[in-house]
Amino acid sequence: MTQLPFSLLSEEHYQAQMDQVLLWLERLRQATGHCERKPGLGIYWEYYAPDDGCERVVFISHGFTESTLEYSELIWYFLRAGYGVFICDHMGHGKSYRLLEESWLTHVTSFDEYIEDLNHLMEKVVLPRTEGKERFLFGHSMGGAIAMLYLERYPGRFARCVLCSPMVAPLAGNLPVPVGGALANFMCAIGQGERKIPIQKPFDGQDRWESNTGTTSRARYLWYLERQRQDRDRQNSSATYSWAREAVNVRHPILSQAGQVEIPVLLCQASMDTVVQLEPQDELVEQLPQGRKIVYPYAKHEIYRSANPTLETFLLDVLSFLDE
C-alpha cells in the first residue's frame, strides 16, 4: 500500500469533522453491550462494520486511563479501509465495571483479570460474531501488554497483531523504576494497594497541552479533553499502588513467553515516548518469532493520535502490515 484509501481529518477543522465522524460511527455501530464474567461486573463493548460488510475484523485493546471514545477516529479509519472493529473498555475504565468508587482512580488487583475478562468477551461475543472472518489484534500501551499476555495464553484467536507503544515496562515519572516498583510492592504488602500513587492526581479538567506526554496533535488532545470534562466515566487520571505493582511486574511474563507467539507482530515505537521504556520493547521484538519494529521519530506515546504527518505514515504501515 503506497497511499491511504481515505483522507485524514483536518487538524484545522478537527472539532467539526469529528462531530460528523461520531454520527457516522453511530450509524455503523452494529451492536453494543455489557458482557459479564461475574454477576454485576460487566465489560462494555462495541462492534462496528462497514456498510458493505467485511471479512476482516480488528479488536482494539486500549491503554491506561483511556476509553472506547478516544479511539473513535482510529475506528473510523479502519472502517474506511474495509475492516470491522471490536473495542471494549477494560475493567476500571469507561463504562465497564470498577472495583473502586472513585472514577478517576484506575485499579486492578491482578493483570490476570484483564486477560480473563478479554477471553470471556472473546468467547461469548467476539468469536460468535466473527466466525469465518480473519481477526487482528491492536493493542496500545497497557492494552499492548494485555494483547501480548492474551496471545501467549490463548493462541489461535488472531492472525496478526499490532502493538502501539506497548507497555512491556513502564516508566515511573521522576522515580527510578526499581524504586517505584519496590514502593508499590511494599504498599500492597501492607494493605494499601487501593491508594493513589503519589506522582499522579485526580482529574481536574485543566489544559496541559505543553506538558502532555501522549500526542503531538493539539486538535486531537483538546477534542478528547473536552469529552473527559463532560463524562465522569472517562476521567481516569491516576493509578493505585496495586495497578502500579502489576504494571511493573508485567515485563517478565511478557518476555519469558514471547517465543510462543507464532503470528506476525508489528511493534510501533515512539522515539519521544516518556511513558514506557523503549529497551524492553526492543527485547520483545527480538524474542518474537515473527516480530518486526518501526520507529516513529516525531511521535509521543500515543502514535495513533499523532499530528497528521506522523499519523499518515503510521496508518500506512499498520494497514500494509495487516494486508500482507
Side-chain angles (χ1 to χ4, degrees), residues 101-115:
E101 291 186 5
E102 295 88 345
S103 61
W104 52 272
L105 265 179
T106 307
H107 177 66
V108 68
T109 56
S110 168
F111 269 26
D112 283 343
E113 295 294 312
Y114 289 136
I115 311 308

Side-chain angles (χ1 to χ4, degrees), residues 62-273:
H62 71 74
F64 169 67
T65 74
E66 296 183 336
S67 72
T68 56
L69 182 67
E70 193 165 355
Y71 285 79
S72 298
E73 185 181 2
L74 182 62
I75 293 170
W76 173 238
Y77 292 146
F78 276 132
L79 290 168
R80 295 291 303 275
Y83 292 85
V85 179
F86 262 101
I87 188 169
C88 73
D89 285 327
H90 291 301
M91 66 173 293
H93 295 78
K95 299 179 182 179
S96 288
Y97 74 95
R98 298 168 184 262
L99 302 179
L100 301 179
E101 291 186 5
E102 295 88 345
S103 61
W104 52 272
L105 265 179
T106 307
H107 177 66
V108 68
T109 56
S110 168
F111 269 26
D112 283 343
E113 295 294 312
Y114 289 136
I115 311 308
E116 295 312 309
D117 279 347
L118 177 54
N119 188 57
H120 188 74
L121 178 61
M122 287 291 297
E123 292 185 343
K124 298 298 183 181
V125 178
V126 180
L127 295 180
R129 290 176 179 267
T130 60
E131 186 175 358
K133 300 181 187 295
E134 196 171 23
R135 291 181 292 271
F136 305 102
L137 184 56
F138 179 100
H140 169 67
S141 193
M142 177 193 79
I146 294 170
M148 276 304 305
L149 293 172
Y150 186 81
L151 293 174
E152 292 168 355
R153 191 173 301 181
Y154 297 101
R157 302 287 176 84
F158 295 97
R160 288 174 178 265
C161 176
V162 176
L163 301 175
C164 176
S165 306
M167 189 187 71
V168 183
L171 288 168
N174 294 325
L175 285 176
V177 174
V179 174
L183 175 61
N185 284 322
F186 172 75
M187 295 300 287
C188 290
I190 62 172
Q192 299 298 307
E194 296 183 358
R195 286 183 56 186
K196 177 187 74 68
I197 61 175
I199 61 173
Q200 295 175 342
K201 60 182 181 179
F203 179 83
D204 61 12
Q206 296 300 306
D207 179 358
R208 295 183 175 85
W209 160 248
E210 296 298 334
S211 61
N212 102 88
T213 58
T215 173
T216 54
S217 171
R218 181 173 175 82
R220 293 180 171 93
Y221 170 84
L222 291 176
W223 181 84
Y224 189 63
L225 176 62
E226 182 57 32
R227 273 128 196 95
Q228 286 182 292
R229 290 168 175 161
Q230 296 170 9
D231 190 342
R232 182 175 180 268
D233 288 339
R234 296 189 175 97
Q235 293 178 1
N236 294 64
S237 61
S238 179
T240 63
Y241 280 112
S242 181
W243 188 95
R245 176 196 63 193
E246 293 297 295
V248 169
N249 293 337
V250 79
R251 177 175 181 166
H252 175 72
I254 288 178
L255 294 178
S256 64
Q257 300 177 65
Q260 301 175 18
V261 178
E262 298 180 351
I263 64 171
V265 177
L266 173 64
L267 192 151
C268 301
Q269 186 178 85
S271 67
M272 298 165 60
D273 205 324

Side-chain angles (χ1 to χ4, degrees), residues 258 279-289 291-292:
E279 183 179 347
Q281 293 179 357
D282 298 338
E283 186 176 351
L284 173 59
V285 173
E286 294 174 0
Q287 297 291 333
L288 289 164
R292 71 183 81 165

Side-chain angles (χ1 to χ4, degrees), residues 270-309:
S271 67
M272 298 165 60
D273 205 324
T274 58
V275 177
V276 298
Q277 300 177 53
L278 301 186
E279 183 179 347
Q281 293 179 357
D282 298 338
E283 186 176 351
L284 173 59
V285 173
E286 294 174 0
Q287 297 291 333
L288 289 164
Q290 295 192 70
R292 71 183 81 165
K293 180 183 74 171
I294 299 177
V295 179
Y296 298 87
Y298 304 108
K300 293 185 179 182
H301 185 60
E302 297 169 4
I303 308 172
Y304 73 97
R305 291 208 305 153
S306 295
N308 278 8

